[in-house]
């Protein structure tokens, strides 16, 4: 009997999902979909059949289908593929959670009181056990006082608000984690539990392995409570769980009576790369993929050096030229834009791409780092979303584009503000003059960001965030002249350092943040694919504690990791192995790993022992 064509091998999986989503007898499911398996295609196909079959029933009942995605980019892609059908509510987990709890102001207030009081009690205990007034004590004291002020202000807050973009920090603003925690808590009891089931008889979760544990626990409890009238569909791959907020051992938490279809095809990568990711996965759960018949061959190479990362750019360019010779693909040697270089964390990219003057100070400031990495730090979004478009339009020489970019962003064009002015024409002219001065300022020079913000302040062209205005007022600031634990002073220092950076670094950072650069992080490319991939691995340069490639490559001891994994825990080695799986599986045709190691020979011996690479696929530098 002939084997099924590659495109039909996993067809039964789509049939199982479709059967689960018959609303007369809904069944929940957990679909395993490894790298390159066509998960999004299966999701869109399931939505298409469900919309066609159940539209009349859903519209009559005032119900919709909910799809929860991990990123805005994934949300936009799904919306595009379903032609923006309003019957399907596609959103990120934060937006979805906020829409559920928005308006429950009394419940939010009470939850916040309990949460803040518990946090203050922990801080008070820590301060009571501190040995003198040290750095940790001062930080805890500042946190305690900030929480105390917030607690005192709760009763005066009539309502609460939340901005997924992070640009609005208003009275009563909630953090991202608070929204997730509250939604997870409220959903496990009425009335919100019943509200959810009545609104959404079907919820499909993309990248379910990385969905916040609090929300996943709540949705699993709802499925157990209302399974006869509610279907929860989880799509993903536990091997691709790379964020610590996902539910550990999700596969074990899924009830035994759920459908568990498994996709076995990898439609993305050539045979050699599929073989590598299968070998990486072998010691975890034994799930194996099959490569396409029409994608034989492929290349995987491991380059190892003990030289350190001081001359990393030159060394990585040399390796790219080497890959061009090995693969016969000249594009490897045609510059960074012709390949995708993956670094372990954003700081490594900021150094390589030349925007560390803007990124570094914010990344080093603990209270700003999370918002920066989540893309919700207001002043940065102001620079990227407001200032840069006006600059680009002005430098292009397109007057219509310049007028349009200013009109949609400048407070000088605000309808209410203009209505109250007798000199409306003067206000419009002022906006135009401000835009022209900004363009002229950047035409033939690269001034420090301080000068650009100062010019915008003087012209009134844009509403500048307070953090930048406050930093602008300080001409000189000693990097050590602030109290440990003084959050406001630390943030002021960070923004003051940012203003010293040349404006061109803002543009470089924006291109990187939008995925337009040749660089990205190991975590940030999940779901994406590229013909040529260079993975840069340097534990020392990353300077983090979450991942340790040297444990995966046999350089560091893993005794504690083994003990933790034996009792079902998640170890540093396990997290790093999953990350390695994600990065290697991004490559379509050719893959190069550049490892900066303290013991290159140990790395070589370990990957040969594990049969990840053969001896002739490894180059010691």
């Amino acid at each position: 009997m002939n084997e099924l064509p590659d495109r039909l091998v996993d067809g039964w999986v789509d049939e199982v999902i479709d059967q689960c989503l018959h609303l007369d007898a809904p069944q929940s499911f957990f679909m395993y979909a490894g790298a390159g398996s066509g998960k999004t295609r299966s999701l869109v196909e399931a939505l298409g059949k469900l919309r066609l079959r159940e539209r009349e029933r859903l519209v009559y009942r005032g119900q919709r289908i909910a799809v929860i995605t991990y990123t805005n980019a994934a949300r936009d892609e799904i919306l595009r593929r379903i032609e923006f059908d309003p019957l399907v509510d596609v959103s990120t987990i934060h937006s979805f959670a906020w829409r559920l709890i928005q308006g429950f102001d009394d419940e939010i207030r009470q939850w916040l009181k309990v949460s803040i009081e518990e946090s203050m009690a922990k801080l008070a205990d820590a301060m009571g056990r501190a040995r003198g007034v040290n750095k940790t004590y001062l930080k805890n004291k500042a946190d305690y006082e900030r929480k105390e002020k917030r607690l005192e202000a709760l009763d005066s807050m009539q309502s609460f608000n939340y901005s997924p973009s992070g640009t609005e920090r208003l009275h009563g603003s909630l953090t991202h984690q608070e929204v997730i925690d509250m939604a997870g808590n409220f959903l496990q009891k009425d009335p919100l539990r019943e509200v959810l089931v009545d609104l959404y008889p079907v919820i499909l979760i993309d990248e379910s392995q990385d969905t916040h544990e609090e929300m996943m626990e709540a949705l699993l409890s709802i499925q157990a409570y209302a399974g006869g009238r509610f279907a929860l569909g989880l799509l993903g791959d536990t091997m691709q769980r790379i964020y610590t907020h996902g539910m550990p051992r999700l596969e074990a938490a899924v009830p035994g009576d759920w459908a568990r279809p498994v996709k076995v095809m990898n439609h993305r990568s050539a045979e050699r790369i599929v073989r590598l990711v299968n070998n990486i996965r072998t010691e975890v759960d034994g799930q194996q993929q099959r490569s396409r018949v029409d994608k034989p061959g492929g290349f995987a190479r491991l380059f190892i050096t003990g030289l350190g990362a001081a001359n990393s750019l030159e060394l990585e360019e040399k390796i790219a030229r080497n890959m061009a010779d090995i693969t016969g693909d000249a594009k490897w040697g045609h510059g960074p834009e012709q390949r995708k270089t993956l670094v372990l964390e954003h700081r490594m990219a900021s150094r390589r791409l030349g925007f560390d003057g803007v990124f570094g100070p914010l990344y080093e400031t603990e209270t700003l780092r999370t918002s920066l990495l989540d893309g919700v730090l207001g002043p940065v979004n102001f620079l990227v979303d407001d200032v840069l478009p006006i600059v680009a339009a002005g430098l292009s020489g397109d007057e219509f584009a310049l007028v349009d970019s200013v009109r949609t962003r400048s407070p000088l064009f605000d309808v209410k503000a203009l209505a109250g002015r007798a000199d409306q024409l003067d206000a419009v002219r002022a906006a135009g003059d401000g835009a022209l001065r900004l363009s002229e300022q950047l035409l033939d020079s690269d001034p420090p960001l301080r000068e650009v913000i100062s010019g915008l302040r003087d012209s009134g062209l844009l509403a500048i965030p307070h953090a930048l205005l406050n930093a602008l007022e300080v001409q000189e600031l000693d990097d050590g002249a602030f109290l440990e634990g003084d959050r406001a002073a630390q943030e002021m220092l960070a923004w003051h350092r940012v203003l010293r950076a040349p404006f061109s670094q803002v543009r470089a950072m924006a291109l990187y943040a939008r995925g337009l650069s040749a660089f990205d992080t190991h975590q940030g490319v999940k779901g994406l694919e590229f013909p040529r991939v260079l993975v840069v691995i340097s534990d020392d340069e990353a300077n983090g504690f979450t991942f340790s490639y040297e444990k995966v490559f046999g350089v560091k001891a893993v005794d504690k990791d083994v003990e933790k994994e034996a009792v079902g825990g998640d170890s540093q080695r396990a997290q790093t192995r999953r990350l390695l799986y994600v990065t290697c599986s991004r490559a379509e045709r050719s893959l190069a790993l550049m490892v900066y190691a303290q013991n290159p020979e140990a790395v070589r011996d370990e990957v040969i022992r594990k049969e990840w690479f053969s001896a002739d696929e490894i180059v010691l530098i």
Side-chain angles (χ1 to χ4, degrees), residues 126-127 130 132-143 484-485:
M127 287 189 291
V133 182
N134 53 25
K135 180 179 179 179
T136 302
Y137 175 89
L138 290 169
K139 181 182 183 301
N140 288 338
K141 182 174 182 291
D143 287 345
E484 293 286 356

Side-chain angles (χ1 to χ4, degrees), residues 327-453:
T327 63
D329 182 354
K331 288 186 177 180
W332 264 104
H334 288 174
E337 294 75 19
Q338 296 300 320
R339 59 185 181 265
K340 194 65 172 181
T341 300
L342 306 182
V343 292
L344 186 52
E345 52 96 59
H346 296 287
R347 190 68 188 273
M348 293 167 67
S350 74
R351 289 167 179 154
R352 284 165 167 79
L353 292 173
F355 59 85
D356 202 47
V358 174
F359 185 88
L362 304 176
Y363 183 82
E364 292 166 2
T365 305
E366 184 179 350
T367 56
L368 298 175
R369 183 185 305 133
T370 300
S371 295
L372 173 69
L373 297 181
D374 287 345
V376 294
L377 191 56
V380 170
N381 291 343
F382 162 77
L383 295 171
V384 171
D385 298 332
D386 292 340
V387 180
L388 276 182
I390 294 177
V391 170
L395 295 179
S396 72
D398 187 337
E399 292 186 8
F400 290 103
L402 180 60
V403 169
D404 185 61
S405 64
V406 171
R407 179 181 57 81
T408 56
R409 294 173 175 85
S410 176
L412 295 174
F413 278 87
D414 181 75
V415 175
K416 293 182 179 179
L418 283 174
R421 296 185 61 154
D423 56 344
Q424 293 184 8
L425 187 58
D426 289 342
V428 173
R429 285 173 177 163
D433 292 342
L436 288 174
R437 284 199 298 273
L438 177 62
S439 301
E440 291 170 357
Q441 188 179 17
L442 297 165
L443 186 60
D444 297 313
S445 64
D446 188 14
L449 187 55
R450 167 179 290 279
E451 292 183 13
V452 175
I453 299 301

Side-chain angles (χ1 to χ4, degrees), residues 116-130 136-137 139-145 147-148:
I116 294 172
E117 286 172 351
E118 289 177 350
S119 181
M120 289 173 63
K122 291 179 181 178
L123 289 169
D125 178 64
M127 287 189 291
R129 290 184 286 104
T136 302
Y137 175 89
K139 181 182 183 301
N140 288 338
K141 182 174 182 291
D143 287 345
Y144 184 94
E145 292 172 350
K147 291 178 184 296
E148 188 175 40

Side-chain angles (χ1 to χ4, degrees), residues 190-239:
D190 293 331
L192 198 56
R193 178 171 57 180
E194 277 296 329
V195 169
L196 179 76
V197 174
D198 287 341
L199 283 176
Y200 303 109
V202 173
I203 296 180
L204 304 176
I205 305 181
D206 191 18
E207 303 289 2
S208 56
Q209 73 279 350
D210 276 324
T211 300
H212 288 72
E213 184 174 6
E214 300 86 350
M215 284 293 291
M216 187 58 71
E217 287 179 346
L219 292 170
L220 287 172
S221 74
I222 290 173
Q223 190 280 329
Y225 161 77
R229 54 196 173 99
F230 172 77
L232 180 61
L234 309 182
L235 300 89
D237 176 11
T238 52
M239 189 64 183

Side-chain angles (χ1 to χ4, degrees), residues 266 269-278 297-300 531 584-591:
N266 184 317
S269 302
E271 185 277 334
R272 176 63 188 97
I273 297 166
V274 174
R275 182 154 42 93
L276 172 62
V277 297
N278 280 343
F299 299 89
C584 292
S585 60
R586 298 311 95 195
E588 297 173 335
R589 188 68 191 171
S590 53
L591 167 72

